[in-house]
Short mmCIF file of all heavy atoms in Angstrom, two decimals:
data_model
loop_
_atom_site.label_atom_id
_atom_site.label_comp_id
_atom_site.label_asym_id
_atom_site.label_seq_id
_atom_site.Cartn_x
_atom_site.Cartn_y
_atom_site.Cartn_z
N THR A 1 0.85 -1.19 0.00
CA THR A 1 0.00 0.00 0.00
C THR A 1 0.89 1.25 0.00
O THR A 1 2.02 1.21 0.45
CB THR A 1 -0.91 0.03 1.24
OG1 THR A 1 -0.12 0.09 2.40
CG2 THR A 1 -1.83 -1.17 1.28
N SER A 2 0.33 2.34 -0.48
CA SER A 2 1.09 3.58 -0.54
C SER A 2 1.08 4.27 0.83
O SER A 2 0.19 4.02 1.65
CB SER A 2 0.51 4.50 -1.61
OG SER A 2 -0.83 4.79 -1.32
N PRO A 3 2.06 5.13 1.07
CA PRO A 3 2.11 5.84 2.35
C PRO A 3 0.86 6.71 2.56
O PRO A 3 0.28 7.19 1.59
CB PRO A 3 3.35 6.71 2.26
CG PRO A 3 4.05 6.35 1.00
CD PRO A 3 3.13 5.49 0.18
N VAL A 4 0.49 6.89 3.80
CA VAL A 4 -0.66 7.73 4.13
C VAL A 4 -0.23 9.19 3.99
O VAL A 4 0.74 9.61 4.63
CB VAL A 4 -1.16 7.44 5.56
CG1 VAL A 4 -2.34 8.33 5.91
CG2 VAL A 4 -1.53 5.97 5.73
N PRO A 5 -0.92 9.97 3.16
CA PRO A 5 -0.50 11.36 2.94
C PRO A 5 -0.77 12.24 4.16
O PRO A 5 -1.70 12.00 4.93
CB PRO A 5 -1.36 11.81 1.75
CG PRO A 5 -2.57 10.94 1.82
CD PRO A 5 -2.11 9.62 2.39
N SER A 6 0.05 13.25 4.31
CA SER A 6 -0.16 14.22 5.38
C SER A 6 -1.35 15.11 5.04
O SER A 6 -1.53 15.51 3.88
CB SER A 6 1.09 15.10 5.54
OG SER A 6 0.82 16.17 6.43
N PRO A 7 -2.16 15.45 6.04
CA PRO A 7 -3.28 16.36 5.80
C PRO A 7 -2.86 17.83 5.77
O PRO A 7 -3.69 18.71 5.53
CB PRO A 7 -4.22 16.08 6.98
CG PRO A 7 -3.35 15.55 8.04
CD PRO A 7 -2.20 14.86 7.36
N CYS A 8 -1.58 18.11 5.98
CA CYS A 8 -1.10 19.50 6.03
C CYS A 8 -1.33 20.20 4.69
O CYS A 8 -1.00 19.67 3.64
CB CYS A 8 0.39 19.52 6.38
SG CYS A 8 1.05 21.20 6.48
N ILE A 9 -1.89 21.41 4.76
CA ILE A 9 -2.10 22.22 3.55
C ILE A 9 -1.34 23.55 3.66
O ILE A 9 -1.66 24.51 2.97
CB ILE A 9 -3.60 22.44 3.27
CG1 ILE A 9 -4.27 23.17 4.43
CG2 ILE A 9 -4.31 21.13 2.95
CD1 ILE A 9 -5.67 23.69 4.11
N ASN A 10 -0.36 23.59 4.55
CA ASN A 10 0.48 24.78 4.76
C ASN A 10 -0.31 26.01 5.16
O ASN A 10 0.01 27.13 4.78
CB ASN A 10 1.32 25.07 3.51
CG ASN A 10 2.32 23.97 3.25
OD1 ASN A 10 2.95 23.46 4.19
ND2 ASN A 10 2.45 23.56 2.01
N LEU A 11 -1.36 25.80 5.94
CA LEU A 11 -2.14 26.87 6.55
C LEU A 11 -2.09 26.59 8.05
O LEU A 11 -3.05 26.12 8.65
CB LEU A 11 -3.58 26.88 6.03
CG LEU A 11 -4.52 27.93 6.59
CD1 LEU A 11 -4.02 29.33 6.26
CD2 LEU A 11 -5.91 27.73 6.03
N CYS A 12 -0.93 26.83 8.63
CA CYS A 12 -0.63 26.39 10.00
C CYS A 12 -0.94 27.48 11.01
O CYS A 12 -0.17 28.44 11.15
CB CYS A 12 0.83 25.95 10.10
SG CYS A 12 1.28 24.71 8.87
N GLU A 13 -2.07 27.34 11.67
CA GLU A 13 -2.48 28.29 12.70
C GLU A 13 -3.38 27.54 13.68
O GLU A 13 -4.41 27.01 13.28
CB GLU A 13 -3.24 29.45 12.06
CG GLU A 13 -3.71 30.49 13.07
CD GLU A 13 -4.55 31.58 12.41
OE1 GLU A 13 -4.28 31.93 11.25
OE2 GLU A 13 -5.49 32.05 13.07
N MET A 14 -2.96 27.52 14.94
CA MET A 14 -3.76 26.82 15.94
C MET A 14 -4.91 27.71 16.39
O MET A 14 -4.73 28.88 16.69
CB MET A 14 -2.89 26.44 17.15
CG MET A 14 -1.76 25.47 16.82
SD MET A 14 -2.26 23.97 15.95
CE MET A 14 -3.10 23.08 17.24
N GLY A 15 -6.11 27.13 16.38
CA GLY A 15 -7.30 27.85 16.81
C GLY A 15 -7.52 27.70 18.30
O GLY A 15 -6.87 26.90 18.97
N PRO A 16 -8.45 28.45 18.84
CA PRO A 16 -8.75 28.38 20.28
C PRO A 16 -9.30 27.01 20.71
O PRO A 16 -9.26 26.67 21.87
CB PRO A 16 -9.79 29.49 20.50
CG PRO A 16 -10.35 29.78 19.15
CD PRO A 16 -9.29 29.42 18.15
N ASP A 17 -9.77 26.23 19.74
CA ASP A 17 -10.28 24.89 20.04
C ASP A 17 -9.16 23.86 20.11
O ASP A 17 -9.40 22.67 20.32
CB ASP A 17 -11.32 24.46 19.00
CG ASP A 17 -10.79 24.48 17.56
OD1 ASP A 17 -9.60 24.83 17.35
OD2 ASP A 17 -11.57 24.17 16.65
N GLY A 18 -7.89 24.29 19.89
CA GLY A 18 -6.76 23.37 19.97
C GLY A 18 -6.49 22.63 18.68
O GLY A 18 -5.69 21.71 18.64
N LEU A 19 -7.16 23.02 17.59
CA LEU A 19 -6.98 22.38 16.30
C LEU A 19 -6.33 23.35 15.32
O LEU A 19 -6.62 24.55 15.34
CB LEU A 19 -8.32 21.93 15.72
CG LEU A 19 -9.10 20.90 16.53
CD1 LEU A 19 -10.46 20.66 15.89
CD2 LEU A 19 -8.33 19.61 16.67
N CYS A 20 -5.49 22.81 14.46
CA CYS A 20 -4.92 23.61 13.38
C CYS A 20 -6.04 24.00 12.43
O CYS A 20 -6.84 23.16 12.03
CB CYS A 20 -3.84 22.81 12.66
SG CYS A 20 -3.19 23.65 11.20
N ARG A 21 -6.09 25.26 12.05
CA ARG A 21 -7.14 25.72 11.14
C ARG A 21 -7.00 25.12 9.74
O ARG A 21 -7.98 25.00 9.01
CB ARG A 21 -7.13 27.24 11.05
CG ARG A 21 -7.53 27.91 12.35
CD ARG A 21 -7.63 29.42 12.15
NE ARG A 21 -7.79 30.12 13.42
CZ ARG A 21 -8.97 30.31 14.01
NH1 ARG A 21 -10.04 29.82 13.47
NH2 ARG A 21 -9.04 30.96 15.15
N GLY A 22 -5.78 24.75 9.35
CA GLY A 22 -5.56 24.19 8.02
C GLY A 22 -5.89 22.72 7.91
O GLY A 22 -6.62 22.30 7.02
N CYS A 23 -5.36 21.92 8.85
CA CYS A 23 -5.51 20.45 8.72
C CYS A 23 -6.41 19.83 9.78
O CYS A 23 -6.68 18.64 9.72
CB CYS A 23 -4.13 19.79 8.75
SG CYS A 23 -3.27 19.93 10.34
N MET A 24 -6.85 20.61 10.74
CA MET A 24 -7.75 20.15 11.81
C MET A 24 -7.14 19.07 12.69
O MET A 24 -7.87 18.24 13.24
CB MET A 24 -9.10 19.72 11.23
CG MET A 24 -9.76 20.87 10.47
SD MET A 24 -11.54 20.84 10.37
CE MET A 24 -12.04 21.01 12.05
N ARG A 25 -5.81 19.09 12.83
CA ARG A 25 -5.15 18.16 13.75
C ARG A 25 -4.79 18.89 15.03
O ARG A 25 -4.64 20.11 15.05
CB ARG A 25 -3.85 17.60 13.14
CG ARG A 25 -4.07 16.66 11.99
CD ARG A 25 -2.76 16.13 11.47
NE ARG A 25 -1.99 17.18 10.80
CZ ARG A 25 -0.75 17.01 10.35
NH1 ARG A 25 -0.10 15.87 10.51
NH2 ARG A 25 -0.13 18.00 9.74
N THR A 26 -4.66 18.12 16.11
CA THR A 26 -4.15 18.67 17.37
C THR A 26 -2.64 18.83 17.25
O THR A 26 -2.00 18.24 16.36
CB THR A 26 -4.45 17.74 18.56
OG1 THR A 26 -3.70 16.52 18.38
CG2 THR A 26 -5.94 17.43 18.68
N ILE A 27 -2.05 19.59 18.15
CA ILE A 27 -0.60 19.76 18.13
C ILE A 27 0.11 18.42 18.32
O ILE A 27 1.12 18.14 17.68
CB ILE A 27 -0.13 20.83 19.14
CG1 ILE A 27 1.33 21.24 18.89
CG2 ILE A 27 -0.32 20.37 20.57
CD1 ILE A 27 1.55 22.01 17.61
N ASP A 28 -0.42 17.55 19.17
CA ASP A 28 0.18 16.23 19.38
C ASP A 28 0.13 15.40 18.10
O ASP A 28 1.10 14.71 17.76
CB ASP A 28 -0.51 15.47 20.51
CG ASP A 28 -0.19 16.05 21.89
OD1 ASP A 28 0.86 16.72 22.03
OD2 ASP A 28 -0.98 15.83 22.81
N GLU A 29 -0.98 15.46 17.39
CA GLU A 29 -1.09 14.72 16.12
C GLU A 29 -0.08 15.24 15.09
O GLU A 29 0.52 14.46 14.36
CB GLU A 29 -2.51 14.80 15.58
CG GLU A 29 -3.51 14.03 16.42
CD GLU A 29 -4.96 14.35 16.11
OE1 GLU A 29 -5.23 15.35 15.42
OE2 GLU A 29 -5.83 13.59 16.59
N ILE A 30 0.10 16.55 15.06
CA ILE A 30 1.06 17.15 14.12
C ILE A 30 2.48 16.72 14.48
O ILE A 30 3.24 16.29 13.61
CB ILE A 30 0.93 18.69 14.14
CG1 ILE A 30 -0.44 19.11 13.56
CG2 ILE A 30 2.08 19.34 13.36
CD1 ILE A 30 -0.81 20.55 13.82
N VAL A 31 2.84 16.83 15.75
CA VAL A 31 4.20 16.50 16.20
C VAL A 31 4.51 15.02 15.97
O VAL A 31 5.61 14.67 15.55
CB VAL A 31 4.37 16.88 17.69
CG1 VAL A 31 5.65 16.32 18.26
CG2 VAL A 31 4.32 18.38 17.86
N ASN A 32 3.54 14.16 16.21
CA ASN A 32 3.76 12.71 16.11
C ASN A 32 3.69 12.17 14.68
O ASN A 32 4.09 11.03 14.43
CB ASN A 32 2.74 11.96 16.97
CG ASN A 32 2.94 12.21 18.44
OD1 ASN A 32 4.07 12.39 18.91
ND2 ASN A 32 1.85 12.24 19.19
N TRP A 33 3.20 12.96 13.74
CA TRP A 33 2.90 12.47 12.40
C TRP A 33 4.10 11.79 11.73
O TRP A 33 3.98 10.70 11.19
CB TRP A 33 2.38 13.59 11.51
CG TRP A 33 1.87 13.10 10.20
CD1 TRP A 33 2.58 13.02 9.03
CD2 TRP A 33 0.58 12.56 9.92
NE1 TRP A 33 1.80 12.49 8.04
CE2 TRP A 33 0.56 12.19 8.57
CE3 TRP A 33 -0.56 12.36 10.69
CZ2 TRP A 33 -0.57 11.65 7.96
CZ3 TRP A 33 -1.68 11.82 10.09
CH2 TRP A 33 -1.67 11.46 8.74
N SER A 34 5.25 12.43 11.73
CA SER A 34 6.39 11.93 10.94
C SER A 34 6.90 10.58 11.42
O SER A 34 7.42 9.80 10.61
CB SER A 34 7.53 12.95 10.92
OG SER A 34 8.01 13.16 12.23
N SER A 35 6.71 10.26 12.69
CA SER A 35 7.19 8.97 13.21
C SER A 35 6.06 7.98 13.47
O SER A 35 6.29 6.88 13.95
CB SER A 35 7.98 9.19 14.50
OG SER A 35 7.16 9.78 15.49
N ALA A 36 4.84 8.36 13.12
CA ALA A 36 3.67 7.53 13.41
C ALA A 36 3.50 6.39 12.41
O ALA A 36 3.94 6.47 11.26
CB ALA A 36 2.41 8.39 13.42
N SER A 37 2.84 5.34 12.86
CA SER A 37 2.51 4.21 11.99
C SER A 37 1.39 4.60 11.03
O SER A 37 0.65 5.56 11.27
CB SER A 37 2.05 3.02 12.84
OG SER A 37 0.79 3.30 13.42
N ASP A 38 1.26 3.85 9.95
CA ASP A 38 0.17 4.12 9.01
C ASP A 38 -1.20 3.93 9.68
O ASP A 38 -2.14 4.64 9.36
CB ASP A 38 0.28 3.22 7.78
CG ASP A 38 1.37 3.69 6.81
OD1 ASP A 38 1.92 4.80 7.01
OD2 ASP A 38 1.66 2.95 5.86
N ASP A 39 -1.31 2.98 10.60
CA ASP A 39 -2.58 2.79 11.32
C ASP A 39 -2.94 4.04 12.11
O ASP A 39 -4.10 4.47 12.12
CB ASP A 39 -2.50 1.58 12.27
CG ASP A 39 -2.56 0.26 11.52
OD1 ASP A 39 -2.99 0.24 10.34
OD2 ASP A 39 -2.17 -0.76 12.12
N TYR A 40 -1.95 4.64 12.79
CA TYR A 40 -2.18 5.87 13.54
C TYR A 40 -2.62 6.98 12.59
O TYR A 40 -3.59 7.70 12.85
CB TYR A 40 -0.90 6.28 14.28
CG TYR A 40 -1.00 7.61 14.99
CD1 TYR A 40 -1.52 7.70 16.27
CD2 TYR A 40 -0.57 8.79 14.38
CE1 TYR A 40 -1.61 8.92 16.93
CE2 TYR A 40 -0.65 10.01 15.02
CZ TYR A 40 -1.17 10.07 16.29
OH TYR A 40 -1.26 11.28 16.93
N LYS A 41 -1.92 7.10 11.46
CA LYS A 41 -2.23 8.16 10.49
C LYS A 41 -3.65 7.99 9.94
O LYS A 41 -4.38 8.98 9.79
CB LYS A 41 -1.21 8.17 9.36
CG LYS A 41 0.16 8.61 9.83
CD LYS A 41 1.18 8.51 8.71
CE LYS A 41 2.56 8.95 9.19
NZ LYS A 41 3.56 8.87 8.13
N ARG A 42 -4.03 6.76 9.64
CA ARG A 42 -5.40 6.52 9.16
C ARG A 42 -6.43 6.91 10.23
O ARG A 42 -7.48 7.47 9.92
CB ARG A 42 -5.58 5.08 8.71
CG ARG A 42 -4.97 4.80 7.34
CD ARG A 42 -5.34 3.42 6.82
NE ARG A 42 -4.52 2.38 7.43
CZ ARG A 42 -3.33 2.00 6.99
NH1 ARG A 42 -2.81 2.56 5.93
NH2 ARG A 42 -2.66 1.05 7.60
N ALA A 43 -6.12 6.60 11.49
CA ALA A 43 -7.03 6.96 12.59
C ALA A 43 -7.14 8.48 12.71
O ALA A 43 -8.24 9.01 12.97
CB ALA A 43 -6.54 6.34 13.90
N VAL A 44 -6.05 9.19 12.51
CA VAL A 44 -6.08 10.66 12.56
C VAL A 44 -6.95 11.19 11.42
O VAL A 44 -7.76 12.10 11.62
CB VAL A 44 -4.66 11.26 12.51
CG1 VAL A 44 -4.71 12.78 12.31
CG2 VAL A 44 -3.88 10.92 13.78
N TRP A 45 -6.81 10.62 10.23
CA TRP A 45 -7.65 11.04 9.10
C TRP A 45 -9.13 10.85 9.42
O TRP A 45 -9.96 11.70 9.07
CB TRP A 45 -7.28 10.27 7.83
CG TRP A 45 -6.23 10.96 7.00
CD1 TRP A 45 -4.93 10.59 6.84
CD2 TRP A 45 -6.40 12.15 6.22
NE1 TRP A 45 -4.29 11.47 6.00
CE2 TRP A 45 -5.17 12.44 5.60
CE3 TRP A 45 -7.48 13.00 5.98
CZ2 TRP A 45 -5.00 13.54 4.77
CZ3 TRP A 45 -7.30 14.09 5.14
CH2 TRP A 45 -6.07 14.35 4.55
N ILE A 46 -9.47 9.74 10.06
CA ILE A 46 -10.87 9.50 10.45
C ILE A 46 -11.34 10.60 11.39
O ILE A 46 -12.45 11.14 11.25
CB ILE A 46 -11.04 8.09 11.08
CG1 ILE A 46 -10.86 7.03 9.99
CG2 ILE A 46 -12.39 7.96 11.78
CD1 ILE A 46 -10.71 5.62 10.52
N GLU A 47 -10.49 10.96 12.36
CA GLU A 47 -10.83 12.04 13.29
C GLU A 47 -10.98 13.37 12.57
O GLU A 47 -11.87 14.16 12.88
CB GLU A 47 -9.75 12.16 14.38
CG GLU A 47 -9.94 11.21 15.53
CD GLU A 47 -11.27 11.43 16.22
OE1 GLU A 47 -11.53 12.55 16.73
OE2 GLU A 47 -12.07 10.48 16.26
N ILE A 48 -10.09 13.64 11.62
CA ILE A 48 -10.18 14.89 10.86
C ILE A 48 -11.53 14.98 10.15
O ILE A 48 -12.19 16.01 10.20
CB ILE A 48 -9.02 14.99 9.83
CG1 ILE A 48 -7.70 15.20 10.56
CG2 ILE A 48 -9.29 16.10 8.81
CD1 ILE A 48 -6.47 15.03 9.68
N HIS A 49 -11.94 13.89 9.50
CA HIS A 49 -13.24 13.89 8.80
C HIS A 49 -14.39 14.11 9.78
O HIS A 49 -15.33 14.86 9.49
CB HIS A 49 -13.44 12.60 8.01
CG HIS A 49 -12.51 12.49 6.84
ND1 HIS A 49 -12.41 13.44 5.85
CD2 HIS A 49 -11.62 11.53 6.51
CE1 HIS A 49 -11.50 13.08 4.97
NE2 HIS A 49 -11.00 11.92 5.34
N ARG A 50 -14.29 13.51 10.97
CA ARG A 50 -15.32 13.71 12.00
C ARG A 50 -15.34 15.17 12.44
O ARG A 50 -16.41 15.78 12.57
CB ARG A 50 -15.05 12.78 13.19
CG ARG A 50 -16.15 12.81 14.24
CD ARG A 50 -15.76 12.02 15.48
NE ARG A 50 -14.61 12.57 16.16
CZ ARG A 50 -14.61 13.67 16.92
NH1 ARG A 50 -15.73 14.35 17.08
NH2 ARG A 50 -13.52 14.10 17.51
N ARG A 51 -14.16 15.73 12.65
CA ARG A 51 -14.07 17.13 13.07
C ARG A 51 -14.61 18.07 11.99
O ARG A 51 -15.28 19.06 12.31
CB ARG A 51 -12.62 17.49 13.39
CG ARG A 51 -12.10 16.79 14.62
CD ARG A 51 -10.60 16.93 14.74
NE ARG A 51 -10.09 16.14 15.86
CZ ARG A 51 -8.84 15.72 15.96
NH1 ARG A 51 -7.94 16.05 15.03
NH2 ARG A 51 -8.47 15.00 16.98
N GLU A 52 -14.29 17.79 10.73
CA GLU A 52 -14.79 18.63 9.64
C GLU A 52 -16.31 18.62 9.60
O GLU A 52 -16.93 19.66 9.39
CB GLU A 52 -14.24 18.14 8.30
CG GLU A 52 -12.78 18.45 8.09
CD GLU A 52 -12.21 17.80 6.83
OE1 GLU A 52 -12.77 16.82 6.32
OE2 GLU A 52 -11.17 18.30 6.37
N GLN A 53 -16.90 17.47 9.80
CA GLN A 53 -18.37 17.38 9.79
C GLN A 53 -18.96 18.19 10.93
O GLN A 53 -19.91 18.93 10.73
CB GLN A 53 -18.82 15.93 9.88
CG GLN A 53 -18.56 15.17 8.60
CD GLN A 53 -19.03 13.73 8.68
OE1 GLN A 53 -19.31 13.21 9.75
NE2 GLN A 53 -19.09 13.08 7.54
N GLY A 54 -18.39 18.07 12.12
CA GLY A 54 -18.87 18.84 13.26
C GLY A 54 -18.70 20.33 13.04
O GLY A 54 -19.57 21.13 13.38
N HIS A 55 -17.58 20.71 12.44
CA HIS A 55 -17.31 22.12 12.16
C HIS A 55 -18.30 22.67 11.15
O HIS A 55 -18.85 23.75 11.31
CB HIS A 55 -15.87 22.27 11.63
CG HIS A 55 -15.46 23.69 11.42
ND1 HIS A 55 -15.20 24.55 12.45
CD2 HIS A 55 -15.26 24.39 10.27
CE1 HIS A 55 -14.86 25.73 11.95
NE2 HIS A 55 -14.88 25.65 10.64
N SER A 56 -18.59 21.91 10.10
CA SER A 56 -19.53 22.35 9.07
C SER A 56 -20.94 22.48 9.64
O SER A 56 -21.66 23.42 9.32
CB SER A 56 -19.54 21.36 7.90
OG SER A 56 -18.30 21.39 7.24
N ILE A 57 -21.31 21.55 10.51
CA ILE A 57 -22.65 21.61 11.11
C ILE A 57 -22.76 22.87 11.98
O ILE A 57 -23.74 23.59 11.92
CB ILE A 57 -22.93 20.33 11.93
CG1 ILE A 57 -23.10 19.14 10.98
CG2 ILE A 57 -24.15 20.51 12.81
CD1 ILE A 57 -23.10 17.79 11.66
N ARG A 58 -21.72 23.16 12.78
CA ARG A 58 -21.76 24.34 13.64
C ARG A 58 -21.83 25.64 12.83
O ARG A 58 -22.45 26.60 13.25
CB ARG A 58 -20.52 24.38 14.55
CG ARG A 58 -20.58 23.40 15.69
CD ARG A 58 -19.52 23.67 16.72
NE ARG A 58 -18.17 23.65 16.16
CZ ARG A 58 -17.42 22.59 16.00
NH1 ARG A 58 -17.88 21.41 16.31
NH2 ARG A 58 -16.20 22.69 15.51
N LEU A 59 -21.20 25.66 11.65
CA LEU A 59 -21.22 26.85 10.81
C LEU A 59 -22.44 26.92 9.91
O LEU A 59 -22.63 27.90 9.20
CB LEU A 59 -19.94 26.92 9.97
CG LEU A 59 -18.65 27.09 10.74
CD1 LEU A 59 -17.46 27.07 9.79
CD2 LEU A 59 -18.66 28.37 11.56
N GLY A 60 -23.25 25.86 9.89
CA GLY A 60 -24.45 25.83 9.08
C GLY A 60 -24.20 25.52 7.62
O GLY A 60 -25.04 25.80 6.78
N HIS A 61 -23.05 24.95 7.30
CA HIS A 61 -22.77 24.58 5.92
C HIS A 61 -23.39 23.22 5.60
O HIS A 61 -23.50 22.38 6.47
CB HIS A 61 -21.25 24.48 5.67
CG HIS A 61 -20.55 25.77 5.85
ND1 HIS A 61 -19.25 25.86 6.25
CD2 HIS A 61 -20.96 27.05 5.71
CE1 HIS A 61 -18.87 27.11 6.32
NE2 HIS A 61 -19.91 27.86 6.01
N GLU A 62 -23.75 23.04 4.36
CA GLU A 62 -24.24 21.73 3.94
C GLU A 62 -23.05 20.79 3.83
O GLU A 62 -21.96 21.19 3.42
CB GLU A 62 -24.92 21.82 2.58
CG GLU A 62 -26.26 22.52 2.63
CD GLU A 62 -26.96 22.44 1.31
OE1 GLU A 62 -26.83 21.41 0.61
OE2 GLU A 62 -27.65 23.41 0.97
N LEU A 63 -23.26 19.55 4.19
CA LEU A 63 -22.21 18.55 4.09
C LEU A 63 -22.32 17.83 2.76
O LEU A 63 -23.40 17.47 2.32
CB LEU A 63 -22.32 17.53 5.23
CG LEU A 63 -22.12 18.09 6.64
CD1 LEU A 63 -22.33 16.98 7.65
CD2 LEU A 63 -20.73 18.65 6.77
N LEU A 64 -21.18 17.65 2.14
CA LEU A 64 -21.14 16.88 0.89
C LEU A 64 -20.90 15.43 1.23
O LEU A 64 -20.18 15.12 2.17
CB LEU A 64 -20.03 17.41 -0.01
CG LEU A 64 -20.17 18.88 -0.42
CD1 LEU A 64 -18.94 19.30 -1.22
CD2 LEU A 64 -21.42 19.07 -1.25
N PRO A 65 -21.45 14.50 0.47
CA PRO A 65 -21.20 13.09 0.75
C PRO A 65 -19.71 12.77 0.54
O PRO A 65 -19.05 13.43 -0.26
CB PRO A 65 -22.05 12.35 -0.28
CG PRO A 65 -22.47 13.35 -1.27
CD PRO A 65 -22.32 14.71 -0.68
N PRO A 66 -19.19 11.79 1.29
CA PRO A 66 -17.77 11.46 1.17
C PRO A 66 -17.41 10.94 -0.20
O PRO A 66 -18.22 10.49 -0.95
CB PRO A 66 -17.55 10.40 2.23
CG PRO A 66 -18.88 9.99 2.73
CD PRO A 66 -19.89 10.99 2.24
#
């Protein structure tokens, strides 16, 4: 299988909720990424998608199907 891509989009700014505004990862997830296993990275991606959905719902945006 191919390596799990980083969610970083070079918009690095931590929000008051403790998440990066660009990739929606916590600081611990960002720091651990380079040495993390692919299983960990896939789990972080799942969390990112969950966070994006919650963020879109709070802002009143329509969600697009995955």
Side-chain angles (χ1 to χ4, degrees):
T1 62
S2 59
V4 179
S6 171
C8 180
I9 60 168
N10 295 318
L11 179 62
C12 306
E13 180 184 326
M14 297 308 288
D17 57 0
L19 298 175
C20 174
R21 293 185 189 275
C23 67
M24 302 206 64
R25 291 182 290 174
T26 66
I27 193 68
D28 289 337
E29 291 167 347
I30 293 166
V31 169
N32 293 327
W33 189 266
S34 62
S35 61
S37 69
D38 283 351
D39 286 342
Y40 175 85
K41 292 176 181 180
R42 282 189 281 274
V44 170
W45 269 108
I46 290 168
E47 276 300 300
I48 290 168
H49 292 305
R50 186 187 64 75
R51 292 168 186 157
E52 287 173 339
Q53 288 181 346
H55 184 72
S56 293
I57 290 168
R58 285 193 303 274
L59 295 177
H61 296 152
E62 288 187 35
L63 296 177
L64 300 175

